Amino acid sequence: MHILMYMSMIVLLISSVVMFLTNLLSKKNIEDREKSSPFECGFDPISSSRLPFSLRFFLIAIIFLIFDVEIALILPMTIIPFNSNITIWSLTSILFLFILTIGLYHEWNQSITWMS
């Protein structure tokens, strides 16, 4: 028990010393207007580099990520019934697919209201 406590204290001490030294020895970053401006082949920028971002594109990207994660959760469902109780697997799969169907219905209704 004492060995574990001593080892954790040593690890904590070493990591604290390393973090302190990196903070102390790190090069301080001084903001320079020329260095923080966008670079376009040596010319001054024609327009602002901070263009407005389309919220619709962002929402489509988020929906894609959500469905991508869902597919990653659905694919192992084909292997699991061989290693577990079939009734628990069936109930869990049906519940998961039901929640996905409700989410798809909600997204479908929201996209119809966006169009109008």
Side-chain angles (χ1 to χ4, degrees), residues 42-59:
F43 300 105
D44 289 330
I46 296 171
S47 63
S48 173
S49 63
R50 307 284 187 234
L51 298 175
F53 189 72
S54 173
L55 185 61
R56 194 176 260 178
F57 175 76
F58 177 74
L59 291 175

Side-chain angles (χ1 to χ4, degrees), residues 1-112:
M1 182 68 182
H2 291 293
I3 294 173
L4 182 64
M5 188 174 69
Y6 290 136
M7 291 297 287
S8 61
M9 288 178 67
I10 289 171
V11 167
L12 184 66
L13 180 70
I14 291 173
S15 62
S16 298
V17 167
V18 168
M19 285 192 309
F20 177 74
L21 285 176
T22 55
N23 192 19
L24 185 69
L25 299 175
S26 68
K27 186 177 178 182
K28 301 298 179 196
N29 190 8
I30 299 172
E31 287 294 322
D32 186 16
R33 190 177 70 85
E34 288 293 323
K35 288 184 179 179
S36 62
S37 66
F39 182 74
E40 294 183 9
C41 300
F43 300 105
D44 289 330
I46 296 171
S47 63
S48 173
S49 63
R50 307 284 187 234
L51 298 175
F53 189 72
S54 173
L55 185 61
R56 194 176 260 178
F57 175 76
F58 177 74
L59 291 175
I60 289 172
I62 293 296
I63 290 170
F64 171 76
L65 285 175
I66 289 171
F67 282 112
D68 192 37
V69 170
E70 291 165 359
I71 289 174
L73 292 174
I74 288 175
L75 284 177
M77 286 175 136
T78 59
I79 302 170
I80 293 174
F82 302 118
N83 301 328
S84 65
N85 188 354
I86 194 72
T87 57
I88 294 174
W89 174 82
S90 299
L91 289 174
T92 306
S93 300
I94 289 170
L95 180 66
F96 182 68
L97 292 174
F98 180 71
I99 291 171
L100 288 181
T101 307
I102 290 173
L104 179 65
Y105 177 74
H106 176 71
E107 288 297 326
W108 198 317
N109 280 340
Q110 289 296 320
S111 67
I112 291 173

